[in-house]
Amino acid sequence: MAYKIMVADDDPEIRDVIRIYLQNEGYQTVEAEDGKQVLHLLDNHKVDLIILDVMMPVLDGINACFKIRERTNIPIIMLSAKSEDIDKITGLTSGADDYLSKPFNPLELIARVKAQLRRQSLASSASNLSMDNTVIEIDDLKIDRNRHLVSVRGKEISLTPIEFSILELMASHRGFVFNIEKLYQSVWKEDKFLSDNTVMVHIRNIREKIEDNARSPRYIKTVWGVGYKVD
């Protein structure tokens, strides 16, 4: 069964280019012109991934992403003509799993689509396995690997798929220090490491959600000059 990808961009030429490359890879596509249409289409289509432009009329990509995350944790790759770090941080904070600046190489976009779908598939396969250590407990933090649920003091925490994968990886290797490159390769399942702050933004987002004080974290510790670990 072919994956179905939603392409949301108000520029029909960009949608055409992305659609052609996706269909050449055997993916099905559904298209939207703005964020409001994205939400409407999600009511009628089961999609496996969303490519979401930031600058769209009616409802922009950032606010659409927030609303999508209220419904589902399917992977979201955000596109934007803006390339400043603050724009990338805003995109990832809204719940996107990856971020690509325009103009972009369509082959790089396809590579990122494949990486997200591969990671999602591996996560689904793992959740269907019967494992002895399906639940990781660290003080008040509980990670249910089978159900993909995280809670702190019994309160369920909503994490994106990428955020869950990062936290699960570090929590299952307590005390091990992961540098940014290792985290990227382990979670995104890509050998090529992109030199940007994507991983750091996701770490910050996780801390904001699970820590009482993100500036003085209890769970995800920074090892200065090296990387991150969960104690």
Side-chain angles (χ1 to χ4, degrees), residues 21-22 25 27 49 77 98 100 105-119 184 188-190 192 194:
Y21 275 85
L22 288 172
E25 294 293 329
Y27 300 127
L49 182 144
I77 299 176
D98 206 351
L100 195 58
N105 183 333
L107 293 177
E108 181 178 0
L109 176 60
I110 294 300
R112 295 194 182 204
V113 166
K114 289 181 177 180
Q116 288 294 332
L117 293 173
R118 183 166 60 249
R119 185 200 53 75
Y184 187 89
W188 275 260
K189 306 301 180 185
E190 290 184 307
K192 179 184 177 183
L194 302 177

Side-chain angles (χ1 to χ4, degrees), residues 24 28 46 86 118 131 154 163 178-179 200:
N24 284 343
Q28 297 178 4
K46 181 183 181 302
I86 188 62
R118 183 166 60 249
M131 298 181 296
E163 291 167 357
F178 289 87
N179 62 30
M200 290 183 285

Side-chain angles (χ1 to χ4, degrees), residues 189-206:
K189 306 301 180 185
E190 290 184 307
D191 291 331
K192 179 184 177 183
F193 173 63
L194 302 177
S195 181
D196 57 23
N197 59 6
T198 299
V199 174
M200 290 183 285
V201 173
H202 283 300
I203 292 289
R204 192 189 74 171
N205 291 345
I206 298 169

Side-chain angles (χ1 to χ4, degrees), residues 2-20:
Y3 287 110
K4 182 179 286 186
I5 314 295
M6 183 182 293
V7 182
D9 197 301
D10 60 326
D11 188 331
E13 293 185 1
I14 291 179
R15 292 202 309 272
D16 287 346
V17 170
I18 296 175
R19 183 187 69 249
I20 290 169

Side-chain angles (χ1 to χ4, degrees), residues 1-125:
M1 182 177 176
Y3 287 110
K4 182 179 286 186
I5 314 295
M6 183 182 293
V7 182
D9 197 301
D10 60 326
D11 188 331
E13 293 185 1
I14 291 179
R15 292 202 309 272
D16 287 346
V17 170
I18 296 175
R19 183 187 69 249
I20 290 169
Y21 275 85
L22 288 172
Q23 291 180 347
N24 284 343
E25 294 293 329
Y27 300 127
Q28 297 178 4
T29 60
V30 57
E31 298 179 30
E33 298 178 353
D34 56 62
K36 185 176 181 180
Q37 191 175 16
V38 168
L39 299 178
H40 174 72
L41 288 171
L42 282 177
D43 290 332
N44 302 287
H45 294 269
K46 181 183 181 302
V47 300
D48 300 290
L49 182 144
I50 301 174
I51 298 172
L52 187 65
D53 184 39
V54 171
M55 303 298 291
M56 294 187 295
V58 186
L59 182 68
D60 65 46
I62 297 294
N63 285 297
C65 192
F66 277 119
K67 292 182 178 296
I68 292 168
R69 282 292 173 244
E70 293 174 359
R71 306 182 181 192
T72 178
N73 278 331
I74 61 174
I76 297 174
I77 299 176
M78 194 161 279
L79 304 178
S80 177
K82 299 179 178 180
S83 59
E84 297 296 326
D85 282 348
I86 188 62
D87 299 308
K88 181 174 293 186
I89 290 170
T90 301
L92 295 173
T93 301
S94 69
D97 296 285
D98 206 351
Y99 185 105
L100 195 58
S101 299
K102 294 180 177 179
F104 57 86
N105 183 333
L107 293 177
E108 181 178 0
L109 176 60
I110 294 300
R112 295 194 182 204
V113 166
K114 289 181 177 180
Q116 288 294 332
L117 293 173
R118 183 166 60 249
R119 185 200 53 75
Q120 187 81 336
S121 177
L122 289 172
S124 297
S125 298

